[in-house]
Structures are given as structure tokens and as C-alpha cells.
Amino acid sequence: SEPAPAVTVRQRADGVGVSVTIPAAGVDLDAVERALIVFALDATNGNRTRAARLLRLTRSALLYRLQKYGLIVTEGSL
């Protein structure tokens, strides 16, 4: 199968929110969720507790998603 088009999540220039770009061809929801998680981790310098708050998730829900998307291997990484 063909890879899903890229989804980008960026801080808006005015600093008041984020901009999400989704290609016209569409994407799957997992690609969007993964991009938001990566953005939140970048925005919080890898702090998983703060990233979870930013995404309005519990820390354990974020850890589940990190494992789901292969963003961590062990508890001590990231």
C-alpha cells in the first residue's frame, strides 16, 4: 500500500495556536494523532507530563500512544 500523505503541525506565527496542514488526498487519523503527539513533545522539550496536558490527555494515555506509534521503546526514553 502507498504511504499516507504527510501531516504537518506547526505553531502559528501569532503564537496563539497551531496550524495543521492536511493534504487534499486526505490522511488516516493515526497520522494526524502521531503528528500532534510529536508536536506536543517538541513544544515541551520532550516533557511527557506537559505534553499530555497540552493534548488534554492523561500521562498514561500519552504513554500508550507513544508505544502505539513506536515513539518510545522503554519508559526512560524521550
Side-chain angles (χ1 to χ4, degrees), residues 24-76:
V27 295
D28 66 32
L29 190 55
D30 285 343
V32 175
E33 184 175 54
R34 187 183 192 287
L36 287 168
I37 290 168
V38 169
F39 172 81
L41 288 168
D42 286 345
T44 61
N45 296 314
N47 185 302
R48 291 179 280 186
T49 300
R50 288 185 13 230
R53 277 192 214 123
L54 183 63
L55 296 169
R56 296 187 181 175
L57 295 172
T58 64
R59 187 172 184 277
S60 61
L62 176 62
L63 292 176
Y64 166 79
R65 285 168 173 82
L66 290 172
Q67 290 176 339
K68 175 181 174 180
Y69 296 118
L71 296 171
I72 61 170
V73 177
T74 63
E75 174 66 19

Side-chain angles (χ1 to χ4, degrees), residues 4-35:
V7 174
T8 58
V9 181
R10 291 193 177 96
Q11 186 75 35
R12 286 182 15 186
D14 62 12
V16 178
V18 297
S19 169
V20 179
T21 304
I22 299 173
V27 295
D28 66 32
L29 190 55
D30 285 343
V32 175
E33 184 175 54
R34 187 183 192 287

